[in-house]
Amino acid sequence: MTLTGDRDLLQIVYKNLLDNALKYGRPGGAIRLVFVSEGALLRFEVWKQGEDLSEAQLSQVFDKFVRLRRAEGLAQGTGLGLFITRDIVRKHGGEIRAECPGDQWVKFSFTLPAPT
Ligand SMILES: Nc1ncnc2c1ncn2[C@@H]1O[C@H](COP(=O)(O)OP(=O)(O)OP(=O)(O)O)[C@@H](O)[C@H]1O
Ligand SMILES: [Mg+2]
């Protein structure tokens, strides 16, 4: 399947979501990558196990310069990654969301229009 988009910008999206899963997951915790083709949409999911996030935290993570925990000063980051990621996804006509489906999973999923 061929996806039309800006390769460099979409790489920023994949890289940030994977980096985050690795940086903020617990040691030994699982990571799941899911790719689903749903009619007019492609959906990508990056799941990582580590801790539950509250609704308030989930709604903040896409804002500029947000870092949820002080201890994350130890993991390098600017707090800009998800802000930029959402912008790139939207510019490609997609949407991104963060959810906490339970059992300490945090799930980021984004859609892109499928090639026509
Ligand atoms: N998969 C995740 N699980 C738990 N918390 C997360 C996850 N992804 C992001 N976060 C939280 O959201 C904050 C913002 O993430 P974002 O990617 O925007 O910035 P960053 O990772 O801190 O910096 P950068 O992306 O520039 O390296 C993170 O600092 C972290 O607190
Ligand atoms: Mg990041």
Side-chain angles (χ1 to χ4, degrees):
M1 179 178 295
T2 309
L3 178 66
T4 306
D6 185 307
R7 183 203 304 243
D8 294 338
L9 291 180
L10 289 175
Q11 270 177 8
I12 292 173
V13 171
Y14 310 136
K15 181 169 188 309
N16 184 48
L17 294 177
L18 279 171
D19 274 355
N20 284 353
L22 291 166
K23 275 199 292 193
Y24 307 120
R26 66 161 177 252
I31 290 177
R32 288 178 64 196
L33 303 179
V34 180
F35 174 81
V36 192
S37 173
E38 280 180 337
L41 288 180
L42 302 175
R43 194 175 73 247
F44 302 78
E45 300 175 0
V46 181
W47 298 57
K48 79 103 182 54
Q49 207 174 21
E51 75 201 304
D52 289 324
L53 295 186
S54 67
E55 284 302 319
Q57 288 173 314
L58 290 169
S59 65
Q60 275 171 28
V61 290
F62 294 103
D63 293 344
K64 262 186 197 173
F65 304 123
V66 166
R67 308 204 76 210
L68 292 180
R69 286 160 234 85
R70 236 187 300 167
E72 278 160 14
L74 301 173
Q76 284 200 343
T78 61
L80 278 173
L82 287 172
F83 178 79
I84 294 165
T85 293
R86 183 174 63 179
D87 195 51
I88 294 170
V89 169
R90 285 183 172 169
K91 286 199 163 99
H92 281 79
E95 256 312 325
I96 184 166
R97 60 161 70 184
E99 292 163 273
C100 188
D103 208 15
Q104 304 197 319
W105 284 100
V106 174
K107 168 186 170 188
F108 282 82
S109 56
F110 68 94
T111 55
L112 293 173
T116 47

